[in-house]
Amino acid sequence: MKVEGWFGTLELSPEGAVLASVLYSKDPRELTERSFTLSETKSFLPPPGFDLRKASLEYGIFESGAEYDSLLHELTLRKAKLQVSKALSVDQRIIQAVEALDDINETTNSLSERLFEWYGNHFPETGLTGEPLASFVAKYGNRANVSPFDPLYEKAKVSIGAELPEADEALIKAFAESLCSLYARRKQLEIYIEKSLDTRAPNLTLLAGPMLGARLLSLAGGLSQLARFPSSTIQVIGANKALFKHLRARAPSPKHGIIFSHPLINTAPWWLRGKIARALAAKLSLAARVDLYSGEKRPELLEKLEAKVGRIKALYPTPPLKKSGIKAEKSRSSEKRKGPGKGNGKAKGKSWGQEKAKNKSCREGKFSSDTKPATNSMKGRGC
Amino acid sequence: MLFLEGIEYRIWDPRRSKLGAMVLKKFEVPLRKDSRVLYLGAATGTTVSHVSDIVSEGAVYAVEFSARSMRNLLGLADRRKNIHPILADAGRPERYAHLVGAVDVIFQDVAQPNQAEIAAKNAARFLKKEGFLLLSLKARSIDTTASPKQVFKNEVKKLEEAFEPKFEILKARELAPFHEDHLGLIAKIRVSENEKI
Ligand SMILES: C[S@@+](CC[C@H](N)C(=O)[O-])C[C@H]1O[C@@H](n2cnc3c(N)ncnc32)[C@H](O)[C@@H]1O
């Protein structure tokens, strides 16, 4: 029987005695290389309980136990260092990019609100918000400069807005330019994240999409952490942040983690969302593990997920019976409201659906990079 | 660190270490100075460092899954020649089988839902027949809805019956007040009846 150990290959008798050996050089660097390969091979594993150290000492491969231990120590240390620096550097770059993206989103949201108010004094009829407004202002400044070929030309001529003195125009134009360049940075970050995530975690990217995948990785603190989470945790990753927001700003209490922004869930009828979320979380967890350990792309993961969602949809084509549905939700939602919200606890059949909808739009606002910039600033402006 | 009459003593905080708590809970910890220990869930090495002290002529194979934790552990392993750090998933022992070989003790503290299975897989591969498994079970990472008592009962049953090898539990005790809702366990591989004869 052939057995692979870190120092070489042994040929064993059926009783487990070493008959012959083929050894690697005792160079730690070479041994480390081999060990990476050996971790991937599933054949020639030592049989259960086989004592590699004892066997190799008895067969005279090492002069002493101390030699065995110190060479093994060098190997493991070297290997772990390589693995750590590789894993940490890639994940850290993705995490930093995701957080930078969030910072930019927050900033562009508040700056574009400012621009909307500010420019609105001068030209309230543009109907533009967000990025389109920023580039409009950066281009023209004063509404008197709007080109006759611009669709807003007519409106600019008859605008009821106040005058815009030159000094103010220079300021507001520069402000809009800064905002435009932030939007450009955002695009750049998104492209970077999409690419990096697809390289680091192709299967997660396949199932979650690059932005959701990157957020999961980022909130988990790295791919290895994400791969370690049970799928029940993956379901609620990101809910903490929403909880904070909820406590601070009376936003709806978080029922779900960020995976609810996944199209398979947010386009599904409400009574299926929980079930689909569970299925999705389970597959995401699997995908993260495949990415961590093998790294090869497995398209069948997506097929399986879609098949599973199809089965769920077929199994529950209609909403659950009203009575039990309302009851269950009633007790749950009043429980949720015990918290800081004032909540009147009246969760009737209809308002239930509304609450869901509200909840969703809140989430969209929060993960704005996944939505159009316009919706963002609309939301900011709203009410 | 303390020095008393020329001997160095290190402080072992039972609230930061499951093994430390097990010692105070009167577990007979089966570590000798030449033991070889497979430590699953090494984290940053708080407990590993104490085990490394005890097994001065043996070795600790310190398996940890998180690269971030492993980074800290590496500092320790750099200084201590009897710690062999392994960045791997304890649920996939075949990936480090070529490094580990046979061990006298498996210590596991991974806080995972499938802890029992992970223990069995590793014991099957690495634990000597007369070796020991030390396990810290965290109720909340297994099931957040059931009561800890119930969870512990189920897990013990799993260890006794569900996998290969089956274990014989020698002692089980909760680690409160040092760790709430944690069960400490010490077990051996159960020798099946026909093997005994
Ligand atoms: C509770 S901590 C261990 C603390 C450590 N025993 C001590 O006392 O210093 C659990 C550790 O197990 C690690 N872990 C969880 N699942 C694992 C797995 N499948 N393989 C390896 N390590 C794992 C976690 O990353 C975490 O660092």
Side-chain angles (χ1 to χ4, degrees), chain A residues 3-13 15-21 23 46-47 49-65 68, chain B residues 36 100-102 128:
Chain A
V3 165
E4 297 267 24
W6 58 270
F7 45 79
T9 310
L10 301 177
E11 185 61 41
L12 300 186
S13 74
E15 293 77 37
V18 182
L19 302 174
S21 67
L23 301 182
F50 181 70
D51 196 332
L52 269 181
R53 183 172 183 270
K54 195 163 149 224
S56 68
L57 288 177
E58 280 171 4
Y59 197 66
I61 294 173
F62 297 95
E63 274 160 27
S64 62
Y68 180 99
Chain B
R36 304 190 80 80
V100 174
K128 292 182 185 166

Side-chain angles (χ1 to χ4, degrees), chain A residues 228 293, chain B residues 16-19 39-48 63-66 69 88-91 107 109-112 118 182:
Chain A
R228 212 180 57 227
Y293 295 118
Chain B
R16 294 189 52 204
S17 166
K18 314 288 158 37
L19 188 58
Y39 194 117
L40 306 172
T44 55
T46 316
T47 305
V48 171
V63 177
E64 171 57 52
F65 189 78
S66 143
S69 302
D89 178 0
F107 183 88
D109 180 15
V110 292
Q112 286 281 303
I118 292 178
H182 279 75

